[in-house]
Amino acid sequence: LYRKAANPASSSFILLGPSGAGKTSFLTSLESASQRAKTATPRTHTSQNPASTTIVLHPSVPIASNRYRSVNDPSLSEAKRNPVKYILRDTPGHGKLRSSQLSQLQNDLSSKEKSPIRGLIYFVDAALLADGAENLRDSAGYLHDVLLLLQKLVLSKNKSLSKAGASISVLIAANKQDLFTALPAGSIKERLELEIDRIRKSRQKGLMDASAGSLDNEDDEDLLGGDDGQGTFSFRLLENEIGTKVDVIGGSILSEEGQDPKSGVRAWEEWIGSCL
Ligand code: GTP
Ligand code: MG
């Protein structure tokens, strides 16, 4: 007898990562799943502009604020009546657009938006990090710069910026697990950590050279994971430093439906749900 006003999307997520990793494919697959009536045209060409889309979270995916929602739960029908929405923003990954992409991200992260950014989803092609050192360097380099932006935001002296930064989680989506050359999430994590460690060490050296021998506190903020982490870089080190958790989860956009529920995009949707 009454109709609820359509609830607007209250959170957004930004898709990042190198060209060809699968960001647009992911957006398109969720888009077509959430508006089943329309047939989404696959956009597999290289993206040049950011594009935002409102996605309806699959009603069976639990959300943090309603953790125990399950298939047998009567609240599932409530979830269908009153669907949870979020905004997914695609970005282009091409190397030539990298610096403008990073400054765009910085703007987005520090601007007050109606639907605040809850997560960064960083796509990598898990089959390409196996052999090509070049691809690993590119993927890790971009990720390093993204995480450093986030660290600066969290450590910002501006209280509201810092608070906004602290509520952002990071997912590394190790995509293309359907390919037999794809590395599992665990080794993607190790490789990215090691490569970021290299970047961090050379950056630390650069900062030390510039300040003649020792890092002062200001430079310290420019070093991912802080200065006191003498050992190798890890996402755990970053979490200890700024409280941001980085999850690495494998998946595939092209995998068959109805097989292993952990393959496909389901695990990533669950991660998104856990942020809502
Ligand atoms: P840019 O827009 O250039 O930054 O790339 P992108 O990250 O948006 O990549 P896109 O989604 O366009 O995908 C690139 C290619 O990878 C396309 O040919 C997709 O079909 C393919 N692809 C995406 N996901 C998967 C996957 O899970 N498995 C396989 N085998 N191929 C995939
Ligand atoms: Mg794209």
Side-chain angles (χ1 to χ4, degrees), residues 24 45 47 90:
T24 306
H45 57 81
S47 308
D90 192 16

Side-chain angles (χ1 to χ4, degrees), residues 15-28 42-49 90-95 97-98 123-125 127 142 174-180 251-255 264-265 268:
L15 301 174
L16 297 161
S19 187
K23 301 175 293 296
T24 306
S25 305
F26 179 60
L27 180 79
T28 309
R43 289 171 292 167
T44 47
H45 57 81
T46 296
S47 308
Q48 291 180 24
N49 297 303
D90 192 16
T91 65
H94 195 282
L97 302 167
R98 204 57 55 81
F123 268 80
V124 295
D125 182 332
Y142 189 14
N175 189 26
K176 309 201 186 182
Q177 292 296 325
D178 56 300
L179 302 175
F180 82 102
S252 162
I253 293 149
L254 301 182
S255 70
V265 299
W268 299 331

